[in-house]
Amino acid sequence: MSGGLQLENANPVIFQRSGERLLTSSEEDGDVHDPIDDREIFDLIRSINDPEHPLSLEELNVVEQVRVQVNDTESTVSIEFTPTIPHCSMATLIGLSIKVKLLRSLPDRFKIDVHITPGTHASEEAVNKQLADKERVAAALENSSLLEVVNQCLSSRTI
Amino acid sequence: MAAESPPLLSLVEEFVSGLQDSKAKDAATGVRDGRFTVLQLVEALGQSLTSSQPHTRARGVQLLSDVLQENHTALTEREVELLLAFYENRLKDHYVITPPVLRGLQALTKSRLLPPGSAVSMLRSLFQDVHVQSLMLAERACVYNMLINLMDSREDELKGLGADFVFGFVQSMDGERDPRNLLLAFQIAKNIVVRGYNMGKFTEELFEVTSCYFPIDFSPPPNDPHGITKEELIQALRAVLTGSPTFAEFLLPLIIEKLDSDVQSAKLDSLQTLAACVGQYEHKDLAEFLEGLWTSLRREVFQTSSEKIESAALAALTALTSCLSRSILNSDSEDSLSTFLDLLLRDCKHHLFEPDLKLVWPSAKLLQAACSASYRASHIITAAVMPPLVEQYNSKTQCSHRRTLLEVVQRFIQSTAGCQSSDHDENLFSAHKDSLCSVVFSALSESNSSLQITATSVLTSLAQQAGVLSDADIELAVDHLTRLLLTDEDERVSLAVVECAGALAEQHPAAFIAKLIPTLKEEMFSDQREASELHSHHAVRQRCLAALAAVSVRAGVVRESTPVLLDVLSSAHADPSRFSADEAAHACLSLQRIAERAQDDEETGRCFHDVVIPRLLSLALQAALQKTSPGSGSPLVEEAVLSAMVPVISTACSRLHATFAEQTASRAVSLFLDGDVSFLPDNSFPSHIRPLQKQKQQEEEEEDWWRQSQLVCLLMACVCSLPRSVEVPQEERLLSELEELSCSCSHPLSYTSAAKCFAGLLNKKPQGVSLDSLIQRTVKRLGSELDRPSSPMRTQAFTLLIWVAKALLLRYHPLFSTLTDKLFSLLDDADLGPAAADGFSLLMSDSADVLNRGCHADVRIMYRQRFFSENSAKLVQGFNAAPQEKKPNYLKALSNIVNKLPKQVQVSELPALLSLLLEALTCPDEGVQLSTLSCLEPVLINPPQVLIQQLEALVTRLLALICSPAMKIRIASIRCILAVSHFPAHEVLPFRARVLRALAPPLDDRKRLVRREAVQARGEWFLLGSPGGR
């Protein structure tokens, strides 16, 4: 293939997208309280774009609903994501995108924990440490070229 | 003559020495009016033309050129010849003289009397003596226009110049930068290429001098007065580059190079140019570039970043393949189509068999794009791809893999639809038919629902290919579909099955008449099951009803399916425990669908006229007359079922042919006015039926009277949807009874239907005194009713008023204004005020069952705008004058009206209303808030300037509503806030921090729907003004 950058993983496995969440009658009733649940968190992050492909993290199976844990009463969220290949250089960027998306979309009472699914990446520990460090995340977002890539991952796809 | 000379001389003097440009016009007028000749002008100019001062000479030539511009048609051949010789000579003069000389020459090129050979000599001296690119913008345009004029009138002479002409032009335009001139230059270049001028050895030069602008990158300055767009330039240049196959060897490498660009618009332009150029080429032009082109196209599809580019690449591939398919082969050349397709198959085929990887779809799309180019191409590709696809399907076990393979197969079948021509006897898929059928039927027997859905769409595609499926295949397919209808619970599956059945029934009705309809009928009428199965049985029946509607496309099927649906209704009437009211309503819905589908089909119309309408009326009448104990009545008296019958009858009636329509009208009227039941089947009715009249002797049955009176809605369906040419018999009597009923009855469905029916007839009544007096009489009666606050029939009177107003508004009747005044005054009414405000929404919206274009009502175009422009001022006035507690009514009325206006009108009217709408946002009434938000939201998508000026007020009010107690208002206001984020960035950026803060609390809203909107809006506002965002 001439021209353009060679992709790290040009032909990844594609997974099916789950449909829209079905609307229940209790959700339409203004008086009922709907707690924040796993599916809701998953819906927030499943449509994040992959930095390399015009595909969502869900289609690449980077995020799965079973790897999302939320506790509404204790205000904690824990998310595991799985890079497509063990040497994926984008892992930190993907983790950062997930983290930023949640920071923007969840009430600030939540404590957000994003890490790599154990045993799926070569430098798992380093990436986890970076993502857990508040100050490094904040510093990364000061970097405008990094912020640009993150914002592109979070933009709704232009079709 | 002598008397006229002085003014000419003084004109010349004033122009040349006095520098008064306006004198040129006077001179031109003088020549045109015959006051002096061109010859005299030249004589008068003598002094200045021979002056030793170049500037004086320039002025002299300029005057002559200006005069010629206006008068080139009046010159004789001899004059043209002399002037040409003069001008050609002047080209050698001082440079300040060149501009006026060029203008003079341009004027002469427009003359029809140009002597032979002069074009050649003119161009020779032009190319020799003038360096075009050192001229000013206007003079360059002058040169281009000269060339265009000469190319139009003296094509043969210019072609005689041979390659010199092309060379001269290439030199003239080399380095041109102005878009206006480029458009002219491109036009000349296109003429050279398309009209077959000899380019000789300058082919490459001409290509170079034009292709250096490719791809066009041009953004017109703001407020550009010339209105040249990038698109115009692109099209003009593309016409040059793609004009001739001789450019192929230069253009194709250029396209390959530009496809490597990172600029999206360059890629897109290259792909579109490629698609356009191969239309002219032959295979030998392409041969050496095929590999390179394929590599680029493949990359664009495999690693695509935008759908636009992907589809442009696919279109280019299709064009390329069809070019190769068109070429005639020599015995010694290789078949370049099959070589090219081998290349495609080599790179794409193996990806098809990895159904869970990303490249399966790009590969399939590429192959399908090539397939759709020609019969030969699709033959080669399907032969190579279909057997292994089927084999793969059989060897895979995972349902998701099988489904993807099946979808790929379906797209292949679809992609060949355009290139199956009638002169090829053999259908492309006949050879694969058996294996495809077995795959489809096995997929239909799987339990995976998405596999089944895909299989139905494959089946539909196969059925649409003429002559592929045999009768035995169709029968088998019908069996499968029937089984799925009766047993499968999944809603999406049954929807797909119903759709597939509809498509198959259009091609092969016989199998459906013979098998599907009897089976469904038997199933629906089968005896009651256990209570536990009741629910599922209900669902089965609904699916059967939907399927009956879907398969009834052909008249033959309609004749079989409608009796089944009518049987459902009659057995629901006979035994309410067998079919519920809901099922009866569904049966009506299916009948309606059938009536809608049967456009201009006389057979179907006859079936509805002869069978369906009489039986429906008869059943409804039987139900109304039945004396029952409460609680076990026939479902056919229920409002839901009757309202479902109305569209069946009105749709059918609106499509009847004239004779049937007249018959229906007279039958319906005589039934309702005189109780004439002779045309109804099962004729066992009493003789005194008068549904429209309350009968005194039946006092004791007063409570049951509504059962009969509500049948007036069926009367409405019959008489209000007929074509306007059909006359309704006994119209006066009918109208007065309807008016009486609508003003005196207390049953809502009855009086509303009577009012609608009255309005429907009024709308179609011919203009004239009788109509006017009828309206005045009615309005008077309604007025007196409405003016008595104690009257028990005020609601009824109001309903009739609204419907009459609507009928008159639609046809622009002059008496409408009296009704509007009445409506406005009702906004202040203590009881009817809110209803009157809601009434405006009814006035402005299309009604489903009466007074719409489908019912042949007299609906003038733009009646909404007219109503709005005539009444908005009154409304604003009324609002300002109204007491505080009545203001919400006005705001509600206003937002009801504005909501229904077309978008363009909303935007143009907004400035006048904005302050009122913003006021409405602060109105405590939640209904007003909601309807104002819903009419603001579409306007915000394309905000007018005046809205941007009021941004502060708008944002403040919207943010206040985010905390509203009503969920719908919270959602609507957050959506508006989201729309505001797409305003021009510099306008909304100042609000970013404030909006982000305000959107934080709704992230923790107790309702998930609100949180979802808040997440979306906040995300967009975060992207605003941030790198990589917006």
Side-chain angles (χ1 to χ4, degrees), chain B residues 804-821:
Chain B
V804 169
K806 187 167 171 68
L808 299 184
L809 168 67
L810 293 181
R811 62 182 284 181
Y812 285 0
H813 195 277
L815 285 174
F816 172 65
S817 58
T818 55
L819 291 168
T820 357
D821 292 343

PDB file of all heavy atoms in Angstrom, chain B residues 804-821:
ATOM      1  N   VAL B 804     -65.555  24.714  10.867  1.00  0.00           N
ATOM      2  CA  VAL B 804     -66.006  25.569   9.770  1.00  0.00           C
ATOM      3  C   VAL B 804     -64.892  26.552   9.406  1.00  0.00           C
ATOM      4  O   VAL B 804     -64.595  26.772   8.225  1.00  0.00           O
ATOM      5  CB  VAL B 804     -67.303  26.321  10.161  1.00  0.00           C
ATOM      6  CG1 VAL B 804     -67.615  27.388   9.136  1.00  0.00           C
ATOM      7  CG2 VAL B 804     -68.452  25.351  10.265  1.00  0.00           C
ATOM      8  N   ALA B 805     -64.250  27.089  10.440  1.00  0.00           N
ATOM      9  CA  ALA B 805     -63.153  28.033  10.177  1.00  0.00           C
ATOM     10  C   ALA B 805     -62.067  27.358   9.361  1.00  0.00           C
ATOM     11  O   ALA B 805     -61.545  27.922   8.400  1.00  0.00           O
ATOM     12  CB  ALA B 805     -62.583  28.544  11.495  1.00  0.00           C
ATOM     13  N   LYS B 806     -61.748  26.120   9.714  1.00  0.00           N
ATOM     14  CA  LYS B 806     -60.692  25.408   8.982  1.00  0.00           C
ATOM     15  C   LYS B 806     -61.100  25.196   7.521  1.00  0.00           C
ATOM     16  O   LYS B 806     -60.294  25.400   6.607  1.00  0.00           O
ATOM     17  CB  LYS B 806     -60.400  24.069   9.659  1.00  0.00           C
ATOM     18  CG  LYS B 806     -59.204  23.353   9.046  1.00  0.00           C
ATOM     19  CD  LYS B 806     -58.760  22.210   9.927  1.00  0.00           C
ATOM     20  CE  LYS B 806     -57.725  21.350   9.232  1.00  0.00           C
ATOM     21  NZ  LYS B 806     -56.447  22.001   9.016  1.00  0.00           N
ATOM     22  N   ALA B 807     -62.350  24.801   7.317  1.00  0.00           N
ATOM     23  CA  ALA B 807     -62.818  24.560   5.949  1.00  0.00           C
ATOM     24  C   ALA B 807     -62.687  25.816   5.100  1.00  0.00           C
ATOM     25  O   ALA B 807     -62.310  25.754   3.928  1.00  0.00           O
ATOM     26  CB  ALA B 807     -64.262  24.078   5.969  1.00  0.00           C
ATOM     27  N   LEU B 808     -62.988  26.964   5.686  1.00  0.00           N
ATOM     28  CA  LEU B 808     -62.944  28.216   4.918  1.00  0.00           C
ATOM     29  C   LEU B 808     -61.519  28.724   4.754  1.00  0.00           C
ATOM     30  O   LEU B 808     -61.152  29.262   3.715  1.00  0.00           O
ATOM     31  CB  LEU B 808     -63.789  29.286   5.602  1.00  0.00           C
ATOM     32  CG  LEU B 808     -65.265  28.922   5.736  1.00  0.00           C
ATOM     33  CD1 LEU B 808     -66.040  30.080   6.330  1.00  0.00           C
ATOM     34  CD2 LEU B 808     -65.850  28.545   4.391  1.00  0.00           C
ATOM     35  N   LEU B 809     -60.707  28.519   5.807  1.00  0.00           N
ATOM     36  CA  LEU B 809     -59.304  28.945   5.718  1.00  0.00           C
ATOM     37  C   LEU B 809     -58.611  28.244   4.556  1.00  0.00           C
ATOM     38  O   LEU B 809     -57.892  28.864   3.776  1.00  0.00           O
ATOM     39  CB  LEU B 809     -58.592  28.624   7.037  1.00  0.00           C
ATOM     40  CG  LEU B 809     -57.070  28.725   7.024  1.00  0.00           C
ATOM     41  CD1 LEU B 809     -56.628  30.151   6.827  1.00  0.00           C
ATOM     42  CD2 LEU B 809     -56.465  28.183   8.309  1.00  0.00           C
ATOM     43  N   LEU B 810     -58.846  26.928   4.431  1.00  0.00           N
ATOM     44  CA  LEU B 810     -58.148  26.161   3.408  1.00  0.00           C
ATOM     45  C   LEU B 810     -58.459  26.672   2.016  1.00  0.00           C
ATOM     46  O   LEU B 810     -57.621  26.638   1.125  1.00  0.00           O
ATOM     47  CB  LEU B 810     -58.540  24.685   3.502  1.00  0.00           C
ATOM     48  CG  LEU B 810     -58.089  23.957   4.753  1.00  0.00           C
ATOM     49  CD1 LEU B 810     -58.521  22.515   4.707  1.00  0.00           C
ATOM     50  CD2 LEU B 810     -56.585  24.039   4.894  1.00  0.00           C
ATOM     51  N   ARG B 811     -59.716  27.139   1.790  1.00  0.00           N
ATOM     52  CA  ARG B 811     -60.046  27.568   0.430  1.00  0.00           C
ATOM     53  C   ARG B 811     -60.008  29.086   0.270  1.00  0.00           C
ATOM     54  O   ARG B 811     -60.473  29.599  -0.740  1.00  0.00           O
ATOM     55  CB  ARG B 811     -61.405  27.012   0.017  1.00  0.00           C
ATOM     56  CG  ARG B 811     -62.571  27.493   0.870  1.00  0.00           C
ATOM     57  CD  ARG B 811     -63.861  26.863   0.437  1.00  0.00           C
ATOM     58  NE  ARG B 811     -64.375  27.463  -0.783  1.00  0.00           N
ATOM     59  CZ  ARG B 811     -65.504  27.103  -1.360  1.00  0.00           C
ATOM     60  NH1 ARG B 811     -66.225  26.126  -0.850  1.00  0.00           N
ATOM     61  NH2 ARG B 811     -65.910  27.693  -2.440  1.00  0.00           N
ATOM     62  N   TYR B 812     -59.441  29.790   1.221  1.00  0.00           N
ATOM     63  CA  TYR B 812     -59.319  31.252   1.138  1.00  0.00           C
ATOM     64  C   TYR B 812     -60.676  31.911   1.009  1.00  0.00           C
ATOM     65  O   TYR B 812     -60.847  32.827   0.191  1.00  0.00           O
ATOM     66  CB  TYR B 812     -58.498  31.687  -0.090  1.00  0.00           C
ATOM     67  CG  TYR B 812     -57.010  31.482  -0.008  1.00  0.00           C
ATOM     68  CD1 TYR B 812     -56.423  30.939   1.114  1.00  0.00           C
ATOM     69  CD2 TYR B 812     -56.178  31.862  -1.059  1.00  0.00           C
ATOM     70  CE1 TYR B 812     -55.059  30.747   1.160  1.00  0.00           C
ATOM     71  CE2 TYR B 812     -54.821  31.675  -1.008  1.00  0.00           C
ATOM     72  CZ  TYR B 812     -54.263  31.111   0.103  1.00  0.00           C
ATOM     73  OH  TYR B 812     -52.916  30.920   0.156  1.00  0.00           O
ATOM     74  N   HIS B 813     -61.669  31.457   1.711  1.00  0.00           N
ATOM     75  CA  HIS B 813     -62.987  32.075   1.548  1.00  0.00           C
ATOM     76  C   HIS B 813     -63.001  33.434   2.247  1.00  0.00           C
ATOM     77  O   HIS B 813     -62.511  33.563   3.369  1.00  0.00           O
ATOM     78  CB  HIS B 813     -64.068  31.166   2.136  1.00  0.00           C
ATOM     79  CG  HIS B 813     -65.435  31.554   1.701  1.00  0.00           C
ATOM     80  ND1 HIS B 813     -66.140  32.549   2.308  1.00  0.00           N
ATOM     81  CD2 HIS B 813     -66.221  31.096   0.688  1.00  0.00           C
ATOM     82  CE1 HIS B 813     -67.310  32.685   1.698  1.00  0.00           C
ATOM     83  NE2 HIS B 813     -67.379  31.812   0.716  1.00  0.00           N
ATOM     84  N   PRO B 814     -63.555  34.470   1.610  1.00  0.00           N
ATOM     85  CA  PRO B 814     -63.506  35.829   2.198  1.00  0.00           C
ATOM     86  C   PRO B 814     -64.205  35.924   3.559  1.00  0.00           C
ATOM     87  O   PRO B 814     -63.818  36.770   4.381  1.00  0.00           O
ATOM     88  CB  PRO B 814     -64.193  36.712   1.158  1.00  0.00           C
ATOM     89  CG  PRO B 814     -64.772  35.800   0.145  1.00  0.00           C
ATOM     90  CD  PRO B 814     -64.080  34.500   0.223  1.00  0.00           C
ATOM     91  N   LEU B 815     -65.203  35.062   3.798  1.00  0.00           N
ATOM     92  CA  LEU B 815     -65.914  35.185   5.078  1.00  0.00           C
ATOM     93  C   LEU B 815     -65.116  34.633   6.256  1.00  0.00           C
ATOM     94  O   LEU B 815     -65.564  34.671   7.400  1.00  0.00           O
ATOM     95  CB  LEU B 815     -67.250  34.452   4.995  1.00  0.00           C
ATOM     96  CG  LEU B 815     -68.313  35.206   4.187  1.00  0.00           C
ATOM     97  CD1 LEU B 815     -69.548  34.354   4.035  1.00  0.00           C
ATOM     98  CD2 LEU B 815     -68.657  36.516   4.867  1.00  0.00           C
ATOM     99  N   PHE B 816     -63.924  34.094   5.952  1.00  0.00           N
ATOM    100  CA  PHE B 816     -63.125  33.493   7.013  1.00  0.00           C
ATOM    101  C   PHE B 816     -62.769  34.495   8.102  1.00  0.00           C
ATOM    102  O   PHE B 816     -62.687  34.149   9.276  1.00  0.00           O
ATOM    103  CB  PHE B 816     -61.870  32.890   6.402  1.00  0.00           C
ATOM    104  CG  PHE B 816     -60.882  32.399   7.407  1.00  0.00           C
ATOM    105  CD1 PHE B 816     -61.205  31.339   8.239  1.00  0.00           C
ATOM    106  CD2 PHE B 816     -59.637  32.993   7.554  1.00  0.00           C
ATOM    107  CE1 PHE B 816     -60.312  30.888   9.175  1.00  0.00           C
ATOM    108  CE2 PHE B 816     -58.747  32.548   8.492  1.00  0.00           C
ATOM    109  CZ  PHE B 816     -59.080  31.489   9.305  1.00  0.00           C
ATOM    110  N   SER B 817     -62.585  35.784   7.707  1.00  0.00           N
ATOM    111  CA  SER B 817     -62.086  36.751   8.688  1.00  0.00           C
ATOM    112  C   SER B 817     -63.064  36.961   9.852  1.00  0.00           C
ATOM    113  O   SER B 817     -62.632  37.153  10.990  1.00  0.00           O
ATOM    114  CB  SER B 817     -61.781  38.073   7.999  1.00  0.00           C
ATOM    115  OG  SER B 817     -62.941  38.541   7.374  1.00  0.00           O
ATOM    116  N   THR B 818     -64.369  36.859   9.582  1.00  0.00           N
ATOM    117  CA  THR B 818     -65.318  37.020  10.692  1.00  0.00           C
ATOM    118  C   THR B 818     -65.104  35.916  11.716  1.00  0.00           C
ATOM    119  O   THR B 818     -65.230  36.141  12.923  1.00  0.00           O
ATOM    120  CB  THR B 818     -66.766  36.969  10.190  1.00  0.00           C
ATOM    121  OG1 THR B 818     -66.925  35.762   9.470  1.00  0.00           O
ATOM    122  CG2 THR B 818     -67.104  38.157   9.324  1.00  0.00           C
ATOM    123  N   LEU B 819     -64.757  34.706  11.214  1.00  0.00           N
ATOM    124  CA  LEU B 819     -64.552  33.581  12.131  1.00  0.00           C
ATOM    125  C   LEU B 819     -63.270  33.756  12.942  1.00  0.00           C
ATOM    126  O   LEU B 819     -63.232  33.406  14.122  1.00  0.00           O
ATOM    127  CB  LEU B 819     -64.485  32.286  11.343  1.00  0.00           C
ATOM    128  CG  LEU B 819     -65.814  31.875  10.716  1.00  0.00           C
ATOM    129  CD1 LEU B 819     -65.613  30.763   9.715  1.00  0.00           C
ATOM    130  CD2 LEU B 819     -66.780  31.438  11.783  1.00  0.00           C
ATOM    131  N   THR B 820     -62.223  34.301  12.302  1.00  0.00           N
ATOM    132  CA  THR B 820     -60.981  34.528  13.056  1.00  0.00           C
ATOM    133  C   THR B 820     -61.233  35.495  14.202  1.00  0.00           C
ATOM    134  O   THR B 820     -60.745  35.273  15.311  1.00  0.00           O
ATOM    135  CB  THR B 820     -59.874  35.166  12.192  1.00  0.00           C
ATOM    136  OG1 THR B 820     -60.340  35.294  10.884  1.00  0.00           O
ATOM    137  CG2 THR B 820     -58.622  34.387  12.255  1.00  0.00           C
ATOM    138  N   ASP B 821     -61.959  36.566  13.914  1.00  0.00           N
ATOM    139  CA  ASP B 821     -62.225  37.533  14.972  1.00  0.00           C
ATOM    140  C   ASP B 821     -62.915  36.857  16.144  1.00  0.00           C
ATOM    141  O   ASP B 821     -62.598  37.085  17.307  1.00  0.00           O
ATOM    142  CB  ASP B 821     -63.102  38.672  14.429  1.00  0.00           C
ATOM    143  CG  ASP B 821     -62.331  39.504  13.407  1.00  0.00           C
ATOM    144  OD1 ASP B 821     -61.086  39.382  13.395  1.00  0.00           O
ATOM    145  OD2 ASP B 821     -62.968  40.227  12.635  1.00  0.00           O
TER     146      ASP B 821
END
